[in-house]
């Protein structure tokens, strides 16, 4: 009699090491990024840049946030973390981190998660380097110092050239078509189907030479240091809006809605800010956005602080009404658990959420891709920072697709909304053309 077949042995998964060491101040992070396809999350000179790929996955569908978090947990479970940084000098972002950029819509919802082999960070006076070991090191190979992924380039060695002449054209809709889309949205608001709808549009640039994303990154960081400058898988931008920061159970979300353009003339700008603070249309738009974030955070938080009135955030080209919502988690949720509940907030979708998304799908006339969706990073514990991908563009060779949008509420004027989108294109346009 033959013996029963033995069950197949489980595959052996090689473990890898993520080693973090403190390094001397490295100066401007973006000038140390050696790979045009690297990742970045930098604000006011602090943050993270990464290069090389330890692991990468593309996800889609309505459960993309949950799938991304489960995939990241599986990656972390196969890592041995070696941390040489003293406890008193530990900073958020140390250790292995994953960067991600998610699709706006559930379908197709294409999203990308990247775990860089090398991460260089700087925060609160401390700089560090994290390196993940190769998946399949060759024990017989001779060490090659030139192939060391952790070998830092000299400061200023990673400054790419300008892409040359830039030619712009309309994207999915031309000006007249987009104005018609706004009128259709206003009709739905007047009918009572929806209270607010955020409509976006795109522009396409053709450049003389292929665009190095680091060119955009550096220019955006220089021009908008108070924004979070980011790059993940060809999506590059500088967002003023922080969807969620989670650190040790404390959450923060910065809500922006309501915009006025800077003129450069002190008296006119003072009057414009005063008008913004009292504009019924802008205050209504902002209130919808704050309420949607607060309502999404409440189930997770035992304490939640929602300021009664917005402040004004000053950027190089515009002012925004701004509210920082803060809370303390009641449980042990990870950042993507909360992000999944927050997205899309009324600041980028509208309210009520489901009705606004239907109107967007019917009248906007384009696929947003990863525009206006969460982008950022998370650490091994699931804490992290997630912005909303605004003031951004998709870079592919000699083509750049830029995005801008604005909130439509009762009282919105189509021509004024179009002008607002033109203002919001300025950061990417100036960065690309400089």
């Amino acid at each position: 009699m033959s013996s029963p077949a033995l069950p197949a042995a489980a595959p052996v998964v090689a473990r890898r090491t993520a080693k973090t060491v403190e390094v001397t101040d490295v100066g401007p992070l973006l000038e140390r990024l050696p790979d045009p396809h690297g990742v970045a999350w930098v604000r006011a000179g602090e943050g993270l840049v990464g290069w090389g790929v330890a692991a990468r996955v593309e996800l889609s569908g309505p459960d993309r946030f949950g799938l991304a978090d489960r995939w990241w947990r599986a990656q972390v479970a196969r890592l041995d973390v070696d941390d040489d940084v003293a406890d008193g000098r530990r900073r958020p972002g140390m250790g292995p981190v994953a960067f991600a950029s998610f699709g706006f819509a559930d379908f197709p919802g294409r999203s990308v998660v990247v775990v860089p082999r090398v991460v260089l960070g700087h925060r609160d006076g401390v700089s560090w380097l994290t390196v993940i070991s190769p998946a399949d090191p060759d024990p017989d190979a001779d060490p090659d110092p030139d192939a060391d992924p952790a070998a830092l380039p000299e400061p200023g060695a990673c400054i790419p050239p300008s892409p040359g002449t830039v030619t712009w054209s309309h994207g999915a809709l031309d000006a007249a078509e987009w104005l018609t889309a706004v009128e259709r949205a206003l009709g739905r608001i007047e009918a009572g189907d929806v209270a607010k709808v955020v409509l976006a549009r795109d522009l396409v640039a053709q450049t003389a030479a292929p665009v190095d994303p680091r060119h955009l990154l550096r220019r955006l960081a220089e021009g908008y240091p108070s924004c979070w400058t980011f790059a993940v898988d060809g999506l590059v931008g500088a967002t003023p809006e922080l969807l969620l920061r989670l650190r040790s159970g404390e959450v923060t979300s910065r809500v922006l809605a309501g915009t006025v353009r800077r003129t450069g003339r002190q008296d006119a700008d003072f009057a414009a800010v005063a008008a913004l603070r009292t504009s019924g249309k802008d205050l209504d738009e902002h209130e919808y956005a704050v309420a949607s974030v607060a309502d999404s955070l409440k189930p997770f938080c035992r304490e939640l602080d929602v300021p009664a009135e917005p402040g004004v955030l000053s950027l190089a080209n515009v002012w925004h009404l701004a509210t920082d919502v803060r809370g303390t988690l009641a449980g042990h949720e990870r950042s993507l658990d909360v992000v999944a509940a927050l997205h899309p907030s009324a600041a980028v979708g509208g309210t009520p959420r489901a009705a606004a998304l239907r109107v967007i799908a019917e009248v906007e006339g384009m696929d947003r891709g990863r525009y206006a969706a969460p982008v950022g990073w998370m650490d091994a514990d699931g804490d992290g920072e997630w912005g909303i991908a605004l003031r951004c563009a998709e870079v592919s060779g000699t083509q750049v697709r830029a995005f801008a949008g604005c909130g439509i509420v009762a009282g919105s004027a189509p021509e004024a909304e179009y002008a607002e989108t033109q203002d919001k294109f300025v950061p990417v346009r100036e960065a690309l053309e400089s």
Side-chain angles (χ1 to χ4, degrees), residues 26-164:
V26 295
L29 287 171
L30 295 174
E31 293 186 13
R32 295 280 196 163
L33 183 58
D35 185 354
H37 304 294
V39 291
W41 180 264
V42 176
R43 179 175 185 256
E46 297 192 338
L48 307 167
V49 296
W51 59 94
V53 179
R56 182 183 186 278
V57 69
E58 291 196 16
L59 305 160
S60 61
D63 191 32
R64 58 198 179 281
F65 302 105
L67 290 170
D69 190 60
R70 292 193 289 275
W71 179 86
W72 174 228
R73 289 196 208 196
Q75 300 303 312
V76 171
R78 294 194 286 267
L79 291 175
D80 295 318
V81 178
D82 182 358
D83 192 342
D84 286 348
V85 181
D87 286 346
R89 296 181 67 77
R90 290 196 55 76
R91 300 292 188 269
M94 287 185 174
V97 295
F99 289 73
S101 173
F102 291 92
F104 177 83
D106 286 350
F107 299 100
R110 177 184 173 271
S111 307
V112 181
V113 188
V114 179
V115 181
R117 273 206 62 203
V118 183
V119 172
L120 182 64
H122 179 79
R123 196 183 298 270
D124 298 332
V126 177
S127 297
W128 67 92
L129 187 72
T130 299
V131 180
I132 296 178
S133 64
D136 298 300
D138 183 353
D140 298 324
D142 293 327
D144 179 2
D146 294 331
D148 181 5
L152 295 178
E154 291 298 317
C158 302
I159 300 177
S162 165

Side-chain angles (χ1 to χ4, degrees), residues 173-214:
L173 302 180
D174 63 22
E177 290 168 334
W178 196 80
L179 290 171
T180 298
V182 175
E183 291 169 353
R184 291 177 62 192
L186 285 168
R188 299 293 292 275
I189 292 170
E190 185 177 354
D193 298 336
V194 66
K196 173 186 176 181
V197 177
V198 179
L199 290 185
R201 50 186 288 255
D202 61 342
L203 292 177
V204 177
Q206 191 70 34
T207 58
V211 178
D212 188 320
R214 294 173 299 175

Side-chain angles (χ1 to χ4, degrees), residues 222 356 371:
E222 290 168 359
Y371 165 70

